[in-house]
Amino acid sequence: MIEIVRGDITKFPAEAIVNAANRYLEHGGGVAYAIAKAAAGDVREYIRISKAAIREQLGKDWIDHGEVVVTPAMNLERHGVKYVIHTVGPYCGGRWDAEKREKLRKAVLGALRKAEELGVRTVAFPAISAGIFGCPLEEVVRTFKKVMEEFMKEAKNVEKVYLVLYSEEDYRRALEVL
Ligand code: ADP
């Protein structure tokens, strides 16, 4: 059910792609900026859409770990993407502990459950929190794998989940973990 691939998630043909967002959906850098740019062309426009979506879907202006917000795929539809699911992983700054693992577990599981609710069959994840948020990639991949084992028992619509690693180096390290 889980497959590790190397590539650019903005070009990946999954029905739902997950964004490693910050809690206000500012899409200021990393994969969030790349997704916003690819989806809307104008990043500021996608930020506007995203902030309206938080208000509408959560009734507040931020996202907690485990909560998710869905925005339209816009230009990503050309790759077969239907939804972008925004989730917020932990900030690590190089440190890792049980609390960060739990926050990441919630973030990944929340996105998977939303994908299930949306009825999609395929979902692509980036290495949430392993970039600007500074969590160790190996721990992120290990946590991802554990959550997948948990989710598999409840999945009905989702058939396949991809973990998309951007760099060759990260891809190699992730493969070693699995
Ligand atoms: P976070 O703030 O959650 O750490 P980042 O966007 O900084 O989020 O990084 C998360 C991961 O996404 C990093 O491993 C980074 O290399 C990767 N990444 C960045 N751009 C892309 C992309 N276009 N496709 C897939 N992964 C990407």
Side-chain angles (χ1 to χ4, degrees):
M1 190 182 195
I2 170 171
E3 192 175 322
I4 295 206
V5 294
R6 199 194 84 73
D8 179 347
I9 203 165
T10 67
K11 300 196 170 73
F12 197 83
E15 288 179 54
I17 67 170
V18 178
N19 179 25
N22 65 35
R23 66 198 311 244
Y24 303 108
L25 300 189
E26 301 281 7
H27 311 321
V31 71
Y33 182 89
I35 289 172
K37 179 96 184 148
D42 177 359
V43 173
R44 272 188 307 184
E45 171 63 5
Y46 210 63
I47 293 170
R48 196 192 56 71
I49 291 168
S50 301
K51 285 180 176 291
I54 310 182
R55 269 255 128 232
E56 199 183 307
Q57 292 167 40
L58 300 180
K60 53 183 187 170
D61 295 319
W62 69 92
I63 307 178
D64 287 317
H65 304 293
E67 294 179 330
V68 296
V69 166
V70 182
T71 53
M74 299 175 83
N75 296 335
L76 297 175
E77 277 177 19
R78 80 170 89 112
H79 305 298
V81 179
K82 294 179 178 164
Y83 309 101
V84 177
I85 301 173
H86 303 268
T87 195
V88 183
Y91 175 82
C92 292
R95 294 215 301 262
W96 183 256
D97 56 31
E99 194 190 328
K100 303 205 192 292
R101 179 181 296 112
E102 180 54 19
K103 284 179 179 169
L104 184 61
R105 188 187 82 87
K106 280 186 177 173
V108 173
L109 196 56
L112 287 168
R113 286 186 171 148
K114 180 56 79 177
E116 186 64 33
E117 187 189 314
L118 292 167
V120 301
R121 286 163 301 172
T122 52
V123 189
F125 277 83
I128 297 168
S129 288
I132 296 162
F133 279 7
C135 301
L137 180 77
E138 278 77 7
E139 296 295 355
V140 169
V141 176
R142 240 170 246 139
T143 307
F144 186 77
K145 184 180 170 225
K146 282 213 99 162
V147 179
M148 280 304 302
E149 285 162 5
E150 186 180 345
F151 174 70
M152 262 190 274
K153 294 176 203 141
E154 60 186 77
K156 291 191 175 65
N157 299 314
V158 176
E159 292 164 5
K160 188 109 194 184
V161 179
Y162 300 89
L163 181 59
V164 182
L165 280 310
Y166 200 41
S167 72
E168 186 65 45
E169 163 79 6
D170 284 357
Y171 171 67
R172 201 184 46 71
R173 285 165 66 195
L175 279 185
E176 269 171 31
V177 173
L178 290 205

